[in-house]
Amino acid sequence: MSEKDNLQNADGNNEQNPAEIQDQSTTNNTSQTPENEQPTKEAETSEETTAQKSDTTSENEASKKADAHVEEIDESNAEDAEDEDNSQRHSVESKDYHSMTMEQLVKELDYLLKHHKIQTIKSQVNEIKSEFNDKFGELLEEKKEEFINDGGNEIDFYFITPEKKDFNFLYKEYKSSLHAYYKNLERNLKDNLDNRLRIIEEIKGLINVEENINTTYKHFKELQEEWRNAGPIPRDKYNNAWNTYHHHVEIFYDFLHLNRDLRDMDFKHNLDQKLKIIERAEELAKDNNVNRSFRELQVLHKMWKEDLGPVAKEHREDIWERFSNATKIIHDKRQAYYADLDKAYEANLERKEDIISKIEVIGQDIAKTHQAWQKKIKEVEALRQDFFNAGKVPIKVNEATWAKFKGAVRAFNKNKNAFYKNLKKEQYDNLQKKLDLIQVAEDNKDSDDFETITPLMKKIQSDWKKIGHVPRKDSDKIWKRFKAACNAYFDRLHAEKNAANKEQFEAFDKKNALLDSLGSLALSGDVEADIETIKEKIAEWQAIGHVPHNKRFIEGKFNKALDELFGKLDMDPTEIEMIKFENKLEALSQPNDTSLLDNEHNFIRKKIDEVKGEINQLENNLQFFSNVDEDNPMVKDVLNNIENHKVTLNTWEEKLKKLKEMY
């Protein structure tokens, strides 16, 4: 029976006075069947049968006019009938779970369990479960491939995350709570259904009760109130129970022909209330929030059906037509809304197809380096996030789209894992090479043959830097071993050198003190005596000995101090230069190392060659002045220049002679 059938009521004609009704009810003894059936043939009187058949025909015609817009509300209200709080499910927000991470999905499930009734969150929990399992399944497959690629046996593979543990715990809590809820609800629903069936039977029996009509009417109203408060019943029994109830309520009005005043008062009250419902429905039809309008419309239909009785026959078609029209407007707007939503889902599908294509292209381009793969991994991860953020797609292609997406990602991961599998082989080869170097370092770290082992240790340090990456799990461990062996050797070497250089450090301190004393050295003004004093300081400086290599800068400071002292004397610059050079040679002379003297030798030879070249060039230039008097200024300038260069050449040759004496 349609919604309109449920809401149509028997007409109130052919009324009789209470006495006549009482007499007739005694003799007729009309019996009604429980499941919305018409009265038995034997119970029908001619007048009553005509009226009832007329109403039944009217109801059947109305039934044909019922449309999906009413049936949809009927079905939704039937679902809520099991639990008066179940309608709250409409107010529970369904979020974009597809774009959430596993951690966010766990938090969302925890929030739902703590803030909503267990029976109202089924849809949301199922969505969360589906999304979480998809994401974890994808991660599980990836980790399994890595495990097998690393040489693991598939049967030994096990992987779980903290998020998975938390999700399993929360979902188990949900299932347990839901089971307990439905177990308790089942008992209550059965008791409520039995109670409602009892009320129906009592209403059926009212037409056979021999009592004052006012008393019968009062009893009837009490039964109606009892029905309203009887509680939820199983959804599969809901419409049948209500149809049966309304059927016998209508029979009560039709067959008993209540006192017109009582009936009209009921009819007027019901009409007023239904007009208010219609007005509200018409207001909702203008509201653009289609979901909110539809939810409130459900409540209005429930009130129309459950809280209110029939109205006078002349109003029934009109008010139902108005209510049905408003309902249809809301229904059509909702259907249009979902049609637009389907278009949006189609657009989302196109975006996701494009993202999948991009992942497939990236997966087909096989990179050759770690850096290139790292770039691709970031690109694919960004595309994965774009896929999750792209929104829902039509339900009919949801699984296929997800499967295609997983396939593209899996193909990319397969190639990536193959690259890193080969890379790990190379890393294990590198590991062995570094282990070999560690063995060399550890075998020689205690050697005292510094002259032989020092170059070897420096070489293996250089070789270590040239070897590529090793597996991350071994990197720190082998580096610590290698570093410890090298440090042990070089610490011993430095300690040995420090002992050998002790005298040099002491010499540095003495030279530093002597250098300070030169600043306050007073010359007598007697050149010969002052030269002797300076030579004594030079001899004292040389007698101190060599300083550490990194302290040789002090020699430059000493030469600068000598320049200042010689600058105060009136003597031949060449002589001064040779005195300073002899001091320099002492500084360059190192035990068992002639490299500094060799460098100086090469430098002097180069300077001698340069000066000789200058002299030759100047002498060649003189040929241009063969017919010019020697008193000519230009000739004089060239001759003086040649003489100066010869003096310089002599100085350099003397230096070379002194230097050779140092070998």
Side-chain angles (χ1 to χ4, degrees):
M1 184 176 291
S2 70
E3 176 70 11
K4 186 173 179 181
D5 295 327
N6 298 338
L7 303 178
Q8 297 299 320
N9 299 283
D11 97 61
N13 295 333
N14 300 326
E15 294 180 358
Q16 302 176 12
N17 64 50
E20 291 173 332
I21 293 174
Q22 187 173 2
D23 292 339
Q24 194 173 38
S25 66
T26 304
T27 57
N28 284 344
N29 193 23
T30 305
S31 174
Q32 304 296 331
T33 55
E35 298 295 333
N36 237 8
E37 298 175 3
Q38 296 301 320
T40 59
K41 189 173 182 179
E42 292 77 10
E44 296 174 353
T45 64
S46 60
E47 187 177 27
E48 291 171 334
T49 300
T50 301
Q52 188 169 352
K53 282 183 177 180
S54 175
D55 287 341
T56 302
T57 301
S58 176
E59 289 174 356
N60 289 336
E61 291 174 355
S63 174
K64 294 177 183 179
K65 297 179 182 179
D67 204 351
H69 60 287
V70 175
E71 293 174 0
E72 185 176 346
I73 293 177
D74 236 6
E75 290 172 4
S76 186
N77 281 337
E79 185 175 354
D80 293 341
E82 279 193 342
D83 182 355
E84 293 171 344
D85 293 327
N86 192 45
S87 60
Q88 293 178 14
R89 75 188 190 281
H90 301 306
S91 63
V92 180
E93 181 184 7
S94 285
K95 300 180 180 178
D96 185 8
Y97 302 122
H98 192 58
S99 64
M100 292 185 180
T101 64
M102 287 189 288
E103 182 180 3
Q104 290 171 330
L105 289 170
V106 170
K107 289 181 179 178
E108 189 63 25
L109 178 57
D110 185 45
Y111 178 85
L112 289 172
L113 292 176
K114 289 178 178 176
H115 295 85
H116 296 282
K117 293 184 177 180
I118 200 71
Q119 74 274 25
T120 65
I121 58 175
K122 179 181 178 181
S123 173
Q124 288 77 12
V125 171
N126 286 342
E127 279 192 63
I128 290 173
K129 179 175 179 286
S130 176
E131 292 297 341
F132 186 92
N133 287 342
D134 283 343
K135 287 180 171 61
F136 183 76
E138 183 187 3
L139 178 62
L140 190 67
E141 288 178 7
E142 184 177 337
K143 294 298 182 181
K144 186 176 182 180
E145 278 189 35
E146 290 179 2
F147 178 77
I148 294 173
N149 289 336
D150 286 341
N153 191 328
E154 183 175 354
I155 198 172
D156 297 325
F157 176 73
Y158 175 79
F159 177 77
I160 196 168
T161 63
E163 292 83 7
K164 177 62 173 172
K165 290 180 180 178
D166 292 342
F167 179 83
N168 289 347
F169 175 80
L170 291 172
Y171 189 73
K172 184 178 180 182
E173 178 184 336
Y174 165 74
K175 295 295 288 184
S176 176
S177 299
L178 193 64
H179 175 74
Y181 163 78
Y182 279 121
K183 189 173 182 180
N184 182 62
L185 180 64
E186 186 179 2
R187 290 193 298 268
N188 292 336
L189 293 177
K190 184 179 182 304
D191 292 343
N192 293 341
L193 178 61
D194 291 343
N195 189 32
R196 287 185 183 273
L197 294 177
R198 176 192 60 80
I199 294 171
I200 290 172
E201 289 300 317
E202 288 197 34
I203 291 175
K204 286 167 60 178
L206 286 178
I207 61 175
N208 299 319
V209 175
E210 296 182 5
E211 60 184 5
N212 182 277
I213 187 60
N214 292 322
T215 303
T216 302
Y217 178 75
K218 181 180 179 182
H219 187 190
F220 169 72
K221 300 302 285 185
E222 289 171 350
L223 289 173
Q224 279 190 310
E225 185 63 24
E226 211 177 324
W227 176 270
R228 294 189 189 99
N229 299 321
I233 60 176
R235 71 180 69 178
D236 59 333
K237 306 291 184 183
Y238 174 75
N239 282 321
N240 199 16
W242 274 101
N243 291 338
T244 305
Y245 168 73
H246 281 293
H247 174 73
H248 291 293
V249 167
E250 291 168 1
I251 289 175
F252 176 79
Y253 278 107
D254 287 342
F255 279 81
L256 293 186
H257 300 290
L258 289 174
N259 175 279
R260 181 178 295 273
D261 291 338
L262 293 176
R263 185 195 63 185
D264 289 349
M265 183 173 62
D266 262 5
F267 282 175
K268 183 178 184 309
H269 168 76
N270 295 336
L271 178 61
D272 290 342
Q273 295 303 310
K274 287 188 175 183
L275 286 173
K276 290 179 182 178
I277 290 175
I278 291 170
E279 289 169 0
R280 180 55 186 160
E282 289 171 342
E283 289 176 5
L284 292 174
K286 300 175 183 177
D287 191 344
N288 290 326
N289 190 326
V290 294
N291 284 325
R292 180 178 63 198
S293 300
F294 185 79
R295 297 308 173 203
E296 187 172 343
L297 184 65
Q298 281 183 256
V299 176
L300 296 179
H301 271 264
K302 189 174 182 180
M303 291 169 59
W304 185 292
K305 180 175 183 178
E306 299 183 9
D307 295 346
L308 300 172
V311 299
K313 185 175 182 180
E314 62 268 22
H315 300 299
R316 290 174 191 167
E317 287 292 337
D318 292 340
I319 64 171
W320 172 250
E321 193 69 25
R322 281 182 64 188
F323 190 38
S324 178
N325 288 340
T327 299
K328 190 172 189 307
I329 292 172
I330 296 172
H331 175 269
D332 290 346
K333 288 173 70 173
R334 188 165 180 260
Q335 292 299 106
Y337 166 78
Y338 282 114
D340 290 341
L341 205 57
D342 286 340
K343 291 179 182 177
Y345 288 171
E346 289 291 343
N348 294 343
L349 176 61
E350 290 182 11
R351 284 196 293 272
K352 289 193 172 184
E353 291 283 0
D354 181 57
I355 291 169
I356 292 171
S357 297
K358 289 179 180 178
I359 295 175
E360 288 173 341
V361 170
I362 293 173
Q364 291 165 3
D365 179 22
I366 309 301
K368 303 298 183 184
T369 65
H370 167 70
Q371 290 78 8
W373 273 108
Q374 288 301 304
K375 182 181 178 182
K376 285 179 175 293
I377 289 170
K378 290 180 180 178
E379 289 175 354
V380 171
E381 184 56 36
L383 287 171
R384 286 180 74 255
Q385 198 57 49
D386 289 343
F387 182 88
F388 293 138
N389 293 337
K392 295 182 178 181
V393 300
I395 294 176
K396 61 183 179 182
V397 296
N398 184 53
E399 290 187 9
T401 305
W402 175 248
K404 189 176 181 182
F405 168 72
K406 286 199 298 182
V409 174
R410 189 180 296 113
F412 169 79
N413 287 335
K414 183 178 180 181
N415 292 333
K416 176 198 70 176
N417 292 337
F419 169 80
Y420 281 105
K421 182 179 181 180
N422 292 331
L423 185 62
K424 284 181 180 179
K425 182 179 182 301
E426 181 182 333
Q427 289 179 346
Y428 279 111
D429 291 341
N430 293 339
L431 174 62
Q432 187 57 52
K433 292 176 183 177
K434 289 193 173 184
L435 288 173
D436 292 341
L437 294 183
I438 290 173
Q439 191 62 49
V440 174
E442 291 178 341
D443 289 345
N444 292 280
K445 66 184 179 67
D446 297 323
S447 174
D448 294 326
D449 186 2
F450 297 116
E451 187 174 351
T452 303
I453 300 304
T454 299
L456 175 63
M457 296 297 279
K458 289 181 178 179
K459 181 180 183 304
I460 64 174
Q461 285 182 322
S462 176
D463 291 344
W464 181 280
K465 295 176 182 178
K466 296 175 184 177
I467 298 173
H469 294 288
V470 301
R472 185 179 300 176
K473 60 182 177 148
D474 300 302
S475 181
D476 287 344
K477 181 172 62 178
I478 64 170
W479 167 244
K480 288 178 181 178
R481 280 184 63 190
F482 183 68
K483 183 179 178 183
C486 291
N487 286 349
Y489 174 78
F490 284 107
D491 286 347
R492 290 176 55 254
L493 176 63
H494 295 152
E496 187 77 16
K497 284 187 176 181
N498 288 339
N501 291 339
K502 183 177 180 182
E503 292 181 1
Q504 293 181 358
F505 279 103
E506 292 176 353
F508 172 75
D509 292 338
K510 291 177 182 178
K511 284 190 173 184
N512 209 29
L514 178 57
L515 185 62
D516 291 340
S517 69
L518 291 181
S520 58
L521 180 64
L523 298 178
S524 64
D526 183 348
V527 174
E528 294 294 333
D530 289 339
I531 288 176
E532 192 62 33
T533 299
I534 294 173
K535 286 184 176 180
E536 288 176 359
K537 293 297 181 181
I538 293 174
E540 184 180 350
W541 181 271
Q542 293 173 349
I544 292 174
H546 296 288
V547 299
H549 181 76
N550 62 341
K551 303 292 184 182
R552 288 180 185 171
F553 62 84
I554 200 171
E555 298 294 339
K557 290 185 176 182
F558 182 67
N559 288 331
K560 186 176 180 181
L562 290 180
D563 287 341
E564 292 178 359
L565 291 174
F566 282 122
K568 298 176 182 179
L569 303 179
D570 182 16
M571 61 180 296
D572 183 6
T574 301
E575 186 179 357
I576 294 174
E577 181 68 21
M578 291 306 296
I579 293 173
K580 289 166 58 182
F581 183 69
E582 288 176 2
N583 177 65
K584 181 180 180 180
L585 289 178
E586 287 295 331
L588 294 177
S589 177
Q590 297 288 327
N592 302 320
D593 186 3
T594 62
S595 60
L596 297 177
L597 290 174
D598 292 340
N599 292 337
E600 187 68 16
H601 180 275
N602 293 333
F603 175 74
I604 293 174
R605 289 299 307 173
K606 183 178 178 182
K607 297 302 289 185
I608 289 174
D609 292 339
E610 288 177 358
V611 174
K612 284 181 177 180
E614 290 289 337
I615 292 172
N616 289 335
Q617 182 64 43
L618 290 170
E619 288 176 344
N620 288 335
N621 291 342
L622 280 177
Q623 294 178 7
F624 294 103
F625 302 99
S626 57
N627 298 322
V628 180
D629 193 297
E630 291 186 1
D631 292 333
N632 185 288
M634 292 184 65
V635 174
K636 280 185 176 183
D637 186 58
V638 172
L639 291 173
N640 288 336
N641 206 354
I642 291 173
E643 189 61 31
N644 290 336
H645 275 78
K646 287 182 178 180
V647 172
T648 301
L649 177 62
N650 184 60
T651 301
W652 283 116
E653 288 176 341
E654 283 295 321
K655 285 184 177 182
L656 181 61
K657 184 178 179 182
K658 288 286 185 183
L659 187 149
K660 290 180 177 179
E661 292 174 359
M662 299 300 296
Y663 285 96

